[in-house]
Amino acid sequence: MRPFLSLALLVATAPQAAPRVPAPAFALAQVQQVPAPGAETSVPPPSTQPQSLPEAPVGPASRPAPLVPAEASAPPAGVRPNAAPAQGTGEVPASEPSRVDDTATVPAAEPAPTVETDSAPATRGVAGQEAPPVPDDAPVLASDLGSDAPRTTDAQQQRLVNGAPLYNPNVSVHIVQKKRFADEGRHELTVYPATVQVNGKYTRHAGTAAHYTYHLQENFALQVMGQYNWHSNESAFNLELIDKVREQAQAASSLLLVWGAHAGVEVTPLYGKFAFLNNSLAQFSVVLSGGAGIGSTRHLIRPAVTNDVEGESFQVPARFGDTGTKFMGSVGGGFRLQFGESYALRVEVRDLIYTARVDRVDGCNLADFEALEAARSTNQDFASLNLSGSCRYEKFDGVDPKTKKNYREDIILGRDLVAEPSSDVLNNVSFYAGFSVLF
Amino acid sequence: MIARTLCAFASLAVSLAAPVAAAQDDENVLDNVVVRNRLYEPGGKLELSFGIGLPLQTHLTAHYVFNAGVAYNLFNTFAVEARAGYAASRHTGLARSISESFLNREDKRVTDELEDLWQMNLHGVAGVRWAPIYGKLSLLSDLPVHFQTYVWGGGGLASFKRNSVIQCTQVVNRELGICDNRTSVDDRGSATQDFWVNESRVAPVVSAAVGFRFFILDKHGVRLELRDWVFRDNYRVNLERDAWEAGQASGEPARSPGLTHLVQFDLGYTFSF
């Protein structure tokens, strides 16, 4: 009885000890704890039995013979069904050497195959006794797969490509095998301290943005984003045209975005990894996003000028007029570089697309400006005018106590903006660099 | 019995200790993999490359750069490269629009030339390429793609030309903004000569780039890069309309003309020997 007890103990612990021993390819099939989501390729097994590979080391001679479960349809414990979704941490046991792409110079015996079955795992142990809990990453015997298990029968199937049994029908080979951090079900908060417009022909924007992302699936997420441009002005190029050749962009083409908010989706179609100077390994994803929302716009009415009053000069800052809230679309793409389980860096380019039609400035249309200009010439009180309800005429009235600038002088500039109503679809392409916290 | 029990426990202890040792071994394997997993090692190889550069943004000029290069990879991460090529360049529609309208603008009789109007043509640069990042990604789920990310920096010489959009030495039709010998007022293409002031020069150029090089098979590669060509601008200020329309030199060179940047998206092919 005692020898049987000793044997039972050894059998129970053997699956845990097995990974340190190079697995004989004909006998052991490494099981992944979590299948790498996304990129992997599986070679569908034909209905043949596996054979030994000449490169594989032979296991100990004293190893007990594998035990076959009673039910042929029940795969051994620890074998993950094919349909199992990629969940959890995404950690694959570090001992799993089936990194095809990693094995350009790895000895041929290192890659171990991954066997996938379609059935639920068996829970019964030897002789009807309750088997001890078996870890998910425990290797299983290929012979446990039943009589339907595939078998490599020729040299072609046993051929190794870069150390990996790409043509072996028994194995599932992962191209980029290991996605170390799973995203599904996680929240991500991203802050972009600086966003800079990169296509500023007539406009310049710089701001700060933040977005919240909920990863609904491994490769699909919902996203809400907000952005505030703390700098938005006409470009030096536009000012140069005004100064040198008396030309400028149409009002709609030089509309400035003050803030924007939009919601959308993000997909992660590609992921990969890289080594920096051969010393450190990092994982990255290619992200693509799209969404829609609204944005607040303004337009430059008057650039900064010097106001000379009674022999004294005052610097008058640039003046902008509110041109309303516009519908906004967003598309973008970039890279997400993940550090550890909870942090990531993001580098993206986003195009904020918004419709631009300038027919009102500070709520005043052309008729309002005409009335204001007429009232200004007669020094009439603006409050007595019959203006549209949205016109904030007080913005064009009075004198700034600091700069002595008479705001009534800006009426003609506001009227010029709406005199020829213009429309355009603007593409505000910006570069975003930020960091994320995942939780 | 004691001996048998000890034997069983010893076996058990060895078996339980195995995963710990295995984990340590695996860490070593992981670290080694980072170093060893280069499928492509360009070090010591000569390379030929061809590329087309498209403008990312156009203001007054647009450039389409065609160039060829030869590089030698001193190491896997470091290479020296020489590139030469030709940039087909033109004025944008905005520049033409400005030139036509300015002919008839009488309220601006003294002005400065516009910045960034030099067009690069022939060019040759030499530089270094540092590719500290070697990575791979999964493309279309089952296609592993190996790539390098690099930065490039160098300099050389380029020939430039500049056609003014302000100074017309022989106004043909001021209202229509015509300053050439076109045979039909509506057909700009019928002109064989224009009368805009033009200049040319050869000047130093500095180029910097950041990009990706994707390996295809052993010898081929595709290059995607963002490249900036930088050169010193040069233009005149305080120009008088009466003088330039009389064909006389006017104004003086700008004291601080600044730098012109031509930012291109470059798509290229590389062949490694």
Side-chain angles (χ1 to χ4, degrees):
Chain A
M1 184 60 192
R2 285 183 189 122
F4 286 109
L5 181 59
S6 301
L7 190 59
L9 283 169
L10 277 175
V11 169
T13 54
Q16 298 176 22
R20 72 186 294 262
V21 181
F26 72 96
L28 293 180
Q30 185 75 25
V31 177
Q32 278 187 289
Q33 185 176 3
V34 175
E40 69 176 44
T41 181
S42 299
V43 182
S47 58
T48 52
Q49 289 293 330
Q51 287 185 342
S52 62
L53 290 173
E55 295 85 348
V58 180
S62 59
R63 193 179 190 83
L67 299 171
V68 182
E71 297 84 8
S73 62
V79 175
R80 183 175 291 275
N82 239 353
Q87 295 184 31
T89 63
E91 285 289 347
V92 177
S95 61
E96 181 177 347
S98 62
R99 273 169 274 127
V100 173
D101 45 341
D102 291 351
T103 53
T105 57
V106 175
E110 282 195 16
T114 298
V115 174
E116 298 179 353
T117 71
D118 293 326
S119 310
T123 55
R124 279 286 173 188
V126 181
Q129 295 178 355
E130 200 68 35
V134 179
D136 287 345
D137 57 348
V140 293
L141 298 175
S143 57
D144 291 351
L145 299 176
S147 58
D148 293 336
R151 181 190 294 271
T152 53
T153 55
D154 54 37
Q156 173 65 15
Q157 290 178 337
Q158 297 173 15
R159 190 163 71 89
L160 300 181
V161 178
N162 294 325
L166 286 182
Y167 298 99
N168 191 327
N170 294 327
V171 303
S172 174
V173 177
H174 300 276
I175 294 301
V176 179
Q177 176 262 339
K178 191 173 181 181
K179 188 173 185 184
R180 298 173 63 193
F181 309 106
D183 293 330
E184 183 174 355
R186 305 192 76 188
H187 307 264
E188 182 175 356
L189 200 58
T190 308
V191 175
Y192 300 94
T195 67
V196 181
Q197 185 182 10
V198 293
N199 72 331
K201 190 172 186 176
Y202 300 118
T203 61
R204 288 181 307 183
H205 292 85
T208 298
H211 74 217
Y212 162 78
T213 306
Y214 175 66
H215 295 273
L216 206 61
Q217 295 178 359
E218 192 61 34
N219 298 327
F220 182 81
L222 304 177
Q223 200 170 67
V224 179
M225 184 168 188
Q227 175 175 346
Y228 176 73
N229 288 323
W230 30 263
H231 174 80
S232 59
N233 205 338
E234 291 191 358
S235 67
F237 176 63
N238 199 35
L239 298 177
E240 181 193 14
L241 294 183
I242 295 171
D243 177 45
K244 293 181 178 177
V245 294
R246 296 284 189 267
E247 301 277 355
Q248 66 174 324
Q250 284 190 326
S253 301
S254 52
L255 205 61
L256 306 170
L257 182 69
V258 182
W259 58 262
H262 58 88
V265 298
E266 180 181 271
V267 294
T268 311
L270 304 174
Y271 77 91
K273 56 186 174 181
F274 65 79
F276 183 79
L277 289 178
N278 286 352
N279 290 327
S280 55
L281 186 68
Q283 265 195 247
F284 71 91
S285 303
V286 175
V287 295
L288 302 175
S289 60
I294 56 170
S296 174
T297 61
R298 69 178 186 179
H299 198 283
L300 180 69
I301 295 178
R302 169 183 38 76
V305 293
T306 301
N307 189 27
D308 295 322
V309 180
E310 297 173 353
E312 198 173 356
S313 292
F314 300 93
Q315 289 298 321
V316 185
R319 176 173 179 184
F320 298 89
D322 179 23
T323 48
T325 303
K326 310 290 184 186
F327 174 79
M328 188 172 69
S330 165
V331 292
F335 297 95
R336 193 183 75 163
L337 185 63
Q338 193 155 351
F339 296 99
E341 204 164 327
S342 303
Y343 302 99
L345 285 180
R346 278 178 177 260
V347 177
E348 295 179 51
V349 174
R350 283 175 186 259
D351 184 6
L352 300 180
I353 308 156
Y354 44 99
T355 57
R357 177 174 171 80
V358 180
D359 52 9
R360 288 176 183 271
V361 173
D362 284 329
C364 304
N365 57 25
L366 181 59
D368 295 329
F369 279 114
E370 297 285 4
L372 290 171
E373 178 63 14
R376 183 184 75 89
S377 60
T378 58
N379 207 19
Q380 187 180 350
D381 184 12
F382 288 170
S384 62
L385 299 176
N386 184 23
L387 303 173
S388 63
S390 61
C391 182
R392 299 191 288 266
Y393 62 85
E394 58 276 7
K395 290 202 167 194
F396 294 92
D397 199 5
V399 176
D400 187 350
K402 290 183 181 176
T403 63
K404 312 296 183 191
K405 177 68 177 173
N406 189 341
Y407 291 139
R408 291 195 170 203
E409 295 171 358
D410 294 335
I411 293 174
I412 189 71
L413 300 175
R415 190 195 64 178
D416 287 347
L417 288 178
V418 298
E420 293 181 14
S422 56
S423 62
D424 200 352
V425 177
L426 297 182
N427 292 77
N428 187 336
V429 182
S430 295
F431 175 78
Y432 293 70
F435 55 91
S436 294
V437 178
L438 292 103
F439 52 96
Chain B
M1 175 195 169
I2 294 175
R4 285 173 184 157
T5 305
L6 286 176
C7 183
F9 275 103
S11 301
L12 193 60
V14 169
S15 302
L16 290 174
V20 178
Q24 292 172 351
D25 291 345
D26 296 336
E27 287 177 4
N28 293 334
V29 170
L30 256 187
D31 287 341
N32 290 336
V33 164
V34 172
V35 179
R36 293 192 304 175
N37 65 355
R38 283 174 176 271
L39 190 56
Y40 302 100
E41 297 192 339
K45 291 181 181 174
L46 194 67
E47 259 177 43
L48 281 181
S49 65
F50 306 93
I52 298 175
L54 303 173
L56 271 191
Q57 188 179 10
T58 59
H59 286 179
L60 297 174
T61 62
H63 290 75
Y64 306 89
V65 179
F66 303 89
N67 56 37
V70 56
Y72 181 72
N73 292 279
L74 296 172
F75 312 104
N76 281 336
T77 58
F78 192 83
V80 291
E81 183 174 20
R83 286 194 189 190
Y86 181 79
S89 57
R90 62 173 175 86
H91 276 174
T92 61
L94 174 64
R96 285 196 296 270
S97 172
I98 289 171
S99 64
E100 290 170 358
S101 63
F102 191 72
L103 275 185
N104 198 29
R105 189 169 288 282
E106 292 292 334
D107 59 345
K108 191 69 176 174
R109 303 200 66 83
V110 177
T111 189
D112 301 340
E113 273 284 4
L114 292 170
E115 299 174 17
D116 300 331
L117 259 179
W118 285 98
Q119 301 171 54
M120 185 174 74
N121 295 129
L122 287 172
H123 58 272
V125 290
V128 296
R129 184 179 67 204
W130 182 48
I133 291 176
Y134 181 96
K136 54 195 155 188
L137 53 83
S138 59
L139 192 63
L140 303 176
S141 294
D142 55 1
L143 181 62
V145 178
H146 292 243
F147 66 90
Q148 278 186 315
T149 303
Y150 62 85
V151 292
W152 197 102
L157 285 175
S159 67
F160 300 92
K161 66 177 181 182
R162 187 181 195 281
N163 292 326
S164 174
V165 297
I166 289 179
Q167 297 183 77
C168 175
T169 58
Q170 186 177 331
V171 179
V172 176
N173 189 319
R174 194 175 295 278
E175 287 73 27
L176 296 176
I178 298 175
C179 185
D180 54 37
N181 65 349
R182 67 183 69 173
T183 53
S184 168
V185 292
D186 297 327
D187 185 9
R188 188 187 303 113
S190 63
T192 57
Q193 182 185 8
D194 67 56
F195 309 117
W196 298 105
V197 171
N198 56 67
E199 305 166 75
S200 63
R201 64 170 175 159
V202 174
V205 61
V206 172
S207 185
V210 58
F212 294 91
R213 189 163 67 134
F214 296 92
F215 296 97
I216 301 172
L217 302 179
D218 277 341
K219 296 180 179 297
H220 309 276
V222 172
R223 185 184 69 205
L224 304 176
E225 70 179 22
L226 205 61
R227 178 168 290 273
D228 189 8
W229 301 89
V230 188
F231 52 88
R232 192 169 185 267
D233 199 0
N234 183 17
Y235 59 90
R236 300 179 76 84
V237 297
N238 297 323
L239 303 166
E240 295 180 17
R241 180 183 290 264
D242 293 336
W244 79 61
E245 290 190 352
Q248 301 168 358
S250 177
E252 65 270 359
R255 290 183 178 178
S256 302
L259 299 173
T260 296
H261 294 261
L262 303 179
V263 182
Q264 304 271 314
F265 173 74
D266 201 90
L267 174 65
Y269 163 81
T270 62
F271 179 82
S272 297
F273 291 95

